[in-house]
Amino acid sequence: MQRKDIRNIAIIAHVDHGKTTLVDGLFQQSGVFRENQRVEERIMDSNDLERERGITILAKNTGIQYGDIKINIVDTPGHADFGGEVERVLTMVDGVLLLIDAFEGPMPQTRFVLKKALDLKLKPIVVINKMDRPEARALEVLDATLDLFIDLGADDEQLDFPVVYASAKEKKAWLELDEEGKDLRPLFTTILEHVPAPELTDDGPLQMMVSTIDYDEYVGRIAIGRIKRGKMTVNQSIALCQTSGEVVQGKLGRIYSYHGLKRIEQKEAFWGEIVAVIGIEDVNIGDTITAAETPEPLKFVEIDEPTITMEFKTNDSPLAGKEGDYVTSRHLRNRLFRELERNVALRVDETDSPDTFKVSGRGELHLSILIETMRREGYEFQVSKPNVIYKIVDGKKQEPYELATIDIPEEFMGVVMEKMGIRKGELVNMKTQSNGYLRMEFSIPARGLIGYRSEFMTDTKGNGILNHIFHCFGQIKGEMPGRNRGSLVCHESGQATAYGIYNAQERGIIFIEPGMKVYAGMVIGENARESDLSVNVCRAKKLDNMRAAGSDDNIMLTPPQKMTLEQCLNFIADDELLEVTPQNLRMRKKELNAKARRRG
C-alpha cells in the first residue's frame, strides 16, 4: 500500500550551499505565509547561535501543502561535526534533495551525507544551486557529482537521478540548463514525481521510531518521528521499547503534525506521517513507540563514533562563582547528561574526580557549540585542550584521520603544502579551478588540524577555505608539532593597568585590556618566544615628584587581540585550561603557582 497524499524528504548538503534559503522559498511559494506577512531570512535557523554563525546546527522538521499533497521536509545541518543530526533524521524520509553549489561542487560533507542517504536506499534529487553566481560552472559540477555517485557505489536506479538547476536566493528553479526559471514550480513537480510515496510493507499495529527529541517547559518532552505502521490516537495506551531493552507502559497525550513553522494538533495520525507526540516522560532518541499489546522495537541507525575528547571541570580559579548562575559539579553533571538525551553523537563519561567529566564529540565545532550554549544558559566551568580519541584495531593502536579539502589562490600553495607537511598531511588530489584557485585534498591525522585553522587564515591572508571530515582510523604518525610560541602568564592577582600592559606588550601579543581583573597564573597573551614568560600587568606607575624627560608622555597601547571561543580552544596548551563564564573567556595555567609550575 502507498500513501499518495504524502512525500517525506530531507534536504542535505555541505555547509553554506543554500539549504535553509531554499526552504524559505518553498515556504513562500506553497502559501505557508500571507502575501503581506513579514518573514525573516533563513527562518528555519531558529536559535541565536544558528543566526549568529549562519549555519544550521539542529535538524528541524516542517511541512508544506502543495496542491493535494503534503510534503514533510527535514532541514539538516551542513557541517561535518553535526553529522549525528543527519544520520538519525534520514530514517524518517524516502528521498533527499542533494544541494550542490554551482561553483564549489561536491565538498567533504557532500560525500558524507550522500553516502548515508545511498546506504539507506533513499531516492536522490540533485539540485545545482547558486546558478546566479557569475562563476557558476554547472556542467563541470554535474560531472563531478556523477563521479561521486559512482565512487560511493550507487545502484543503477540511484544513478538515474533527476537534476534541477536553481537559485535559492532568487527563489527560481528550472530543468534545462539553457532555460530561465520563473519560480520553484519545477522543483515541486520533480519532488512529487520522483520521491516515492510512503509504503506500508507490514500491516501490523502501531510502530514509530523516535528520531528527535524537543522540549517545552509547559508540556515536557516531545517525541518526533515517523509512524512506520498502524495508527495512533489521542489517549491511546502504548508500550515504549527503550534502547536499553526495557519496555515501559504509557499513554499518548497530544499528537501534532507539521505545517510551516507551526504544529497542528491532530486527533489521530496514520502510517507514513511525521508527527510530534507529547505525554511520554521517559522517551529518548532511538526508542520505539508501539501498541501496548505488541511491544516490537525497531532497529535504530548506528551513529559514527566521536573523534575528539575534552575534560569539563568545575571552575576553581580565584574568580570562580562571581559571574555564573550554575557553578557546582552537580549542576555541571546534570546539564551534560541532559544533553545526551538529544545530542546522539555526544559521549559523557565520569572520571575518578567528581568535579571532572570527559566529554567526546565529532569535532571541535561540535564541542564548542555545546560550550557556547551552556555559557549562555548561565553555566560556569573550565575545559581542557581538545585531544583526539585513539582506537585499538586488530591489536594495534590507531588514530583518526581527516580528509581536508582546501581552496586557496595559487600564490599560497607553497606555504599550505609546507604547513600540512609539518602536520603529517599527505596530498591526495589537486585540481586547478577556473578563477585562479587551487583545490587540494589532504589525508591528515585529526590532531594535525587542531589549532591549525587560525594559522591557515593568517597564511592565506583570509582568502583560503578549509573543510574537513572524518575519513578513517589509521597508523599513528608519531610526534606532532604543537604551538611554537609560549604564553605570557600573569605574575600576580589584581587589576590590569595601562602602565603594566604597556611594558608587557613588547614581549608579545596581549589579549586583555586595562581595568580587567586578572589573577596569578592567568594567560594574558602570547609570548614572541617558545617559552612561557611571567609578566606583571598590575604594576602601577610610581607617583613621586621626580621626573625624567619624556616620562609623562601618553602611553600608547597596541589594541588587544580579542579571542573567540574557538581561537581559545586552539590556543591553549596541554598544561592550560579555558575558564568559561557567561561574561568572560579566560585562559589559565592548570597549576596557578609559578614555583609549583617550575618544579613540575
Side-chain angles (χ1 to χ4, degrees):
M1 291 174 62
Q2 278 191 324
R3 281 197 67 174
K4 300 286 188 182
D5 61 329
I6 287 181
R7 300 291 188 276
N8 297 319
I9 192 163
I11 301 184
I12 59 174
H14 186 79
V15 65
D16 201 29
H17 278 200
K19 297 179 301 301
T20 309
T21 307
L22 182 65
V23 173
D24 286 357
L26 295 174
F27 273 175
Q28 291 180 7
Q29 296 188 19
S30 65
V32 169
F33 305 120
R34 300 189 314 273
E35 286 188 19
N36 63 344
Q37 187 171 345
R38 184 177 174 276
V39 181
E40 295 184 38
E41 288 186 0
R42 301 196 323 274
I43 196 164
M44 291 292 282
D45 285 348
S46 52
N47 72 38
D48 293 340
L49 269 177
E50 289 179 320
R51 289 201 166 279
E52 285 171 25
R53 293 171 182 249
I55 60 173
T56 303
I57 295 169
L58 302 171
K60 300 177 195 70
N61 295 74
T62 187
I64 56 178
Q65 193 76 28
Y66 189 73
D68 298 330
I69 297 176
K70 168 87 176 287
I71 304 175
N72 287 312
I73 300 173
V74 183
D75 184 21
T76 63
H79 200 285
D81 284 16
F82 308 111
E85 291 280 319
V86 180
E87 290 173 77
R88 59 186 169 82
V89 298
L90 287 182
T91 57
M92 291 195 285
V93 299
D94 302 297
V96 292
L97 282 185
L98 176 66
L99 259 70
I100 299 178
D101 190 301
F103 169 68
E104 291 185 355
M107 298 289 279
Q109 181 71 358
T110 314
R111 169 181 286 271
F112 171 79
V113 293
L114 180 58
K115 184 176 189 312
K116 297 295 179 186
L118 296 179
D119 289 347
L120 291 168
K121 301 298 180 188
L122 301 178
K123 177 69 178 177
I125 296 172
V126 172
V127 180
I128 307 293
N129 191 29
K130 301 193 182 182
M131 290 294 291
D132 52 309
R133 289 184 68 165
E135 62 271 42
R137 47 189 191 98
L139 286 176
E140 294 173 50
V141 167
L142 188 56
D143 287 344
T145 305
L146 182 60
D147 291 342
L148 179 60
F149 270 79
I150 295 169
D151 191 29
L152 293 175
D155 58 34
D156 292 342
E157 189 179 350
Q158 289 170 329
L159 282 171
D160 188 23
F161 54 80
V163 181
V164 179
Y165 303 95
S167 168
K169 191 176 179 182
E170 297 177 352
K171 301 175 178 57
K172 295 178 182 177
W174 55 98
L175 300 177
E176 298 296 334
L177 196 55
D178 52 359
E179 287 181 6
E180 187 170 338
K182 297 178 181 176
D183 53 28
L184 291 173
R185 200 172 302 163
L187 179 57
F188 280 115
T189 307
T190 306
I191 291 172
L192 300 188
E193 286 179 3
H194 293 277
V195 175
E199 282 192 7
L200 182 65
T201 55
D202 179 10
D203 191 13
L206 172 65
Q207 221 178 18
M208 173 183 138
M209 168 70 71
V210 179
S211 299
T212 307
I213 291 289
D214 203 350
Y215 184 80
D216 185 281
E217 59 185 18
Y218 297 106
V219 299
R221 296 172 73 73
I222 303 172
I224 302 166
R226 172 175 166 173
I227 305 173
K228 182 172 174 62
R229 70 182 191 198
K231 77 169 187 175
M232 57 170 54
T233 55
V234 175
N235 294 328
Q236 176 183 352
S237 295
I238 54 100
L240 181 68
C241 302
Q242 298 180 324
T243 50
S244 61
E246 192 176 344
V247 177
V248 180
Q249 297 295 320
K251 183 181 280 192
L252 294 180
R254 295 175 186 171
I255 303 169
Y256 297 91
S257 64
Y258 287 91
H259 181 70
L261 300 177
K262 298 177 183 175
R263 294 193 183 111
I264 309 296
E265 191 170 345
Q266 308 286 336
K267 290 188 176 179
E268 58 183 12
F270 296 86
W271 59 271
E273 180 68 279
I274 295 176
V275 294
V277 181
I278 65 173
I280 312 170
E281 288 186 8
D282 299 326
V283 65
N284 283 303
I285 292 172
D287 294 350
T288 307
I289 298 171
T290 68
E293 59 276 7
T294 55
E296 301 173 48
L298 290 165
K299 186 181 179 185
F300 187 53
V301 63
E302 290 186 14
I303 303 294
D304 288 350
E305 292 294 312
T307 57
I308 297 286
T309 186
M310 299 168 67
E311 286 185 346
F312 282 51
K313 308 179 178 191
T314 52
N315 191 8
D316 61 357
S317 84
L319 299 179
K322 295 186 178 180
E323 297 171 7
D325 299 323
Y326 309 105
V327 297
T328 66
S329 59
R330 177 177 60 85
H331 285 132
L332 182 60
R333 183 187 186 281
N334 291 344
R335 178 61 181 85
L336 289 174
F337 280 94
R338 196 165 70 245
E339 183 70 19
L340 291 178
E341 295 173 0
R342 63 168 65 186
N343 198 336
V344 292
L346 197 74
R347 300 284 184 274
V348 178
D349 299 303
E350 299 191 65
T351 64
D352 297 337
S353 168
D355 296 332
T356 304
F357 303 90
K358 191 176 174 185
V359 182
S360 307
R362 294 283 279 267
E364 286 175 84
L365 184 61
H366 186 199
L367 295 176
S368 70
I369 290 292
L370 171 62
I371 294 169
E372 183 64 36
T373 304
M374 288 174 63
R375 74 182 285 228
R376 291 185 183 203
E377 292 171 359
Y379 286 85
E380 186 176 310
F381 54 98
Q382 297 177 137
V383 295
S384 68
K385 179 181 174 66
N387 287 302
V388 301
I389 298 172
Y390 296 96
K391 196 174 181 180
I392 303 297
V393 180
D394 298 330
K396 293 182 179 177
K397 190 176 180 182
Q398 295 190 345
E399 68 175 326
Y401 278 69
E402 302 270 324
L403 188 63
T405 302
I406 294 176
D407 290 327
I408 50 166
E410 292 181 6
E411 61 192 280
F412 300 116
M413 183 181 80
V415 65
V416 170
M417 290 280 284
E418 179 188 350
K419 292 292 175 67
M420 292 298 275
I422 292 171
R423 294 169 176 268
K424 309 288 193 288
E426 293 180 6
L427 185 65
V428 177
N429 195 7
M430 184 165 67
K431 295 177 188 171
T432 305
Q433 295 181 317
S434 55
N435 61 345
Y437 269 65
L438 279 177
R439 171 164 294 178
M440 307 163 76
E441 292 182 9
F442 291 87
S443 175
I444 181 170
R447 60 198 168 103
L449 289 174
I450 294 176
Y452 176 58
R453 188 176 292 274
S454 56
E455 193 177 328
F456 169 78
M457 294 306 290
T458 303
D459 291 342
T460 60
K461 298 180 180 175
N463 292 302
I465 300 172
L466 169 64
N467 291 289
H468 56 90
I469 188 168
F470 172 72
H471 180 47
C472 64
F473 277 87
Q475 178 185 352
I476 295 178
K477 283 286 185 82
E479 285 296 317
M480 191 71 66
R483 201 173 82 204
N484 56 6
R485 292 187 178 184
S487 300
L488 295 177
V489 185
C490 193
H491 176 67
E492 64 180 47
S493 300
Q495 197 170 39
T497 64
Y499 183 69
I501 293 175
Y502 176 74
N503 288 304
Q505 70 183 11
E506 301 173 2
R507 305 291 188 175
I509 300 168
I510 301 295
F511 301 151
I512 62 169
E513 296 176 328
M516 284 183 66
K517 289 182 179 179
V518 295
Y519 52 83
M522 179 174 159
V523 175
I524 56 92
E526 181 182 40
N527 192 9
R529 304 194 177 191
E530 287 187 21
S531 58
D532 293 341
L533 180 67
S534 284
V535 291
N536 187 0
V537 292
C538 301
R539 185 169 56 172
K541 191 174 183 182
K542 293 289 184 273
L543 298 177
D544 54 34
N545 61 356
M546 300 297 291
R547 291 289 183 268
S551 64
D552 287 325
D553 290 349
N554 287 331
I555 291 173
M556 300 296 291
L557 294 181
T558 305
Q561 182 174 322
K562 299 285 187 181
M563 298 286 278
T564 64
L565 175 59
E566 279 82 7
Q567 286 173 326
C568 289
L569 291 176
N570 286 336
F571 180 83
I572 57 176
D574 291 327
D575 66 336
E576 294 170 352
L577 295 171
L578 174 63
E579 180 186 347
V580 180
T581 76
Q583 297 175 27
N584 288 292
L585 297 170
R586 303 184 189 96
M587 291 173 283
R588 51 159 286 186
K589 290 293 181 182
K590 286 183 180 178
E591 176 55 67
L592 296 178
N593 186 285
K595 289 183 179 177
R597 281 203 305 275
R598 282 197 293 273
R599 281 200 302 270

